[in-house]
């Protein structure tokens, strides 16, 4: 007899990870948190969430891998700002 893992919602994932629901939604968009859409709702398997956390921790520890996390608009603006030199003359 096998017991199937039940599907949980955003509130359950947020409580499981100890974060706000807004963080869960942001991670779905930005960091590819494993979520399954059922109608208008997101559903999760906690085993997939735990694996995602483990993989993310391994990526942060590895100095040779490039992080795939996108920049925020502020970080992107700061990194692309160029200093212009003025000609005096």
């Amino acid at each position: 007899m096998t017991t199937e893992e039940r599907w949980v919602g955003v509130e359950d994932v947020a409580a499981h990870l100890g974060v706000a629901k807004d963080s869960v939604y942001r991670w779905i968009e930005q960091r590819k948190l494993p979520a399954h859409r059922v109608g208008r709702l997101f559903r999760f398997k906690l085993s997939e969430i735990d694996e995602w956390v483990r993989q993310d921790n391994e990526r942060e520890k590895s100095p040779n891998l490039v992080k795939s996390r996108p920049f925020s608009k502020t970080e992107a603006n700061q990194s692309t700002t160029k200093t212009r030199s003025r000609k005096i003359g």
Side-chain angles (χ1 to χ4, degrees), residues 10-68:
V10 172
E11 290 181 4
D12 295 321
V13 171
H16 181 71
L17 296 175
V19 298
K21 289 190 320 185
D22 290 340
S23 295
V24 174
Y25 287 117
R26 188 174 62 248
W27 292 341
I28 291 169
E29 289 179 18
Q30 295 177 353
R31 300 181 75 186
K32 307 298 183 219
L33 182 74
H36 303 272
R37 197 142 202 168
V38 179
R40 292 177 25 194
L41 304 173
F42 286 108
R43 292 292 180 229
F44 309 86
K45 295 270 185 164
L46 291 180
S47 61
E48 292 177 356
I49 300 300
D50 291 338
E51 182 61 28
W52 178 81
V53 169
R54 280 188 215 97
Q55 288 176 353
D56 197 50
N57 285 339
E58 288 172 10
R59 270 180 273 180
E60 288 179 3
K61 289 179 185 177
S62 178
N64 296 331
L65 292 177
V66 176
K67 290 185 182 179
S68 62

